Amino acid sequence: MELGPLSASPRRAAARIAFALAIASAASLAGAQPRPDGPLDAVTVASPEVLARNKRNVVEFYDLAFNKNKPREAVERYVGETYKEHSPDVPDGKDGLIWHFENLAREHAGKRLAIKRAIAEGNHVVVHRWTKLPALLGETEYMAIDIFRLDDNGRIVEHWDVQQRIPRSSTNRNSIF
């Protein structure tokens, strides 16, 4: 059966409306989560002293908050006025950060964290870390990469991370560290 121009027109209109709704929906979702193919952050230049201070502050923050179980003191000492968290398991803000470290201490007594390397560029510090979390059925070890953004005073204001369990075996002889 061949459709004439009049019967095709309502179908085209419906298709155009569906397409427009799909574009509008995609645009509203795009506002919720930035696209990964967006522009790179601007690179800032920092003196060697600032880079060293920023690395020291991030390493000391982790030691105080995680290893010494003093997250409130760590946040007061090393976190800026505002704090933005990108890890989906940690609430945004300084209170969310304190809650996260207190919760880890409650659930994993004897936990440990070691920074294997720290790299600073501009107002960012990247750390490669090892974490051990004891649990009822044994301990789990993780490798993670954290990215911190610091303000001009060397205080942490933003954090991203990726982590994975350390596998028992590998297809190569190289350490994950």
Side-chain angles (χ1 to χ4, degrees):
M1 176 177 159
E2 191 170 357
L3 299 174
L6 291 178
S7 59
S9 184
R11 286 189 181 172
R12 282 189 191 144
R16 286 184 188 133
I17 291 170
F19 180 75
L21 289 173
I23 295 296
S25 176
S28 70
L29 289 176
Q33 289 292 325
R35 295 182 45 90
D37 60 352
L40 292 175
D41 287 347
V43 175
T44 58
V45 177
S47 70
E49 295 80 19
V50 167
L51 296 174
R53 176 203 65 194
N54 288 350
K55 286 197 296 188
R56 182 180 62 250
N57 286 355
V58 166
V59 170
E60 290 176 3
F61 165 78
Y62 251 147
D63 187 51
L64 189 58
F66 195 92
N67 291 330
K68 295 178 180 170
N69 296 317
K70 296 180 180 179
R72 191 166 303 279
E73 183 180 337
V75 166
E76 288 170 5
R77 190 180 299 178
Y78 297 106
V79 176
E81 285 299 311
T82 60
Y83 176 77
K84 188 174 186 178
E85 178 61 59
H86 294 272
S87 180
D89 298 328
V90 181
D92 214 9
K94 295 196 290 190
D95 289 337
L97 187 60
I98 293 167
W99 170 86
H100 171 67
F101 282 111
E102 288 176 344
N103 191 50
L104 284 171
R106 273 191 304 276
E107 292 183 5
H108 304 283
K111 66 189 176 13
R112 292 298 302 158
L113 178 144
I115 305 292
K116 297 298 187 174
R117 55 191 53 84
I119 302 163
E121 177 183 71
N123 61 349
H124 289 87
V125 173
V126 178
V127 297
H128 187 200
R129 68 173 161 88
W130 165 85
T131 307
K132 179 175 78 171
L133 297 177
L136 290 175
L137 300 174
E139 61 191 32
T140 304
E141 294 184 56
Y142 294 90
M143 180 283 302
I145 301 288
D146 294 285
I147 305 169
F148 294 90
R149 185 172 64 82
L150 291 85
D151 64 18
D152 291 339
N153 298 313
R155 295 172 69 86
I156 299 165
V157 294
E158 196 164 6
H159 172 255
W160 302 258
D161 68 352
V162 291
Q163 65 181 348
Q164 72 179 56
R165 283 186 174 180
I166 296 176
R168 293 177 191 237
S169 64
S170 176
T171 57
N172 60 56
R173 294 186 210 169
N174 305 321
S175 163
I176 202 161
F177 295 105

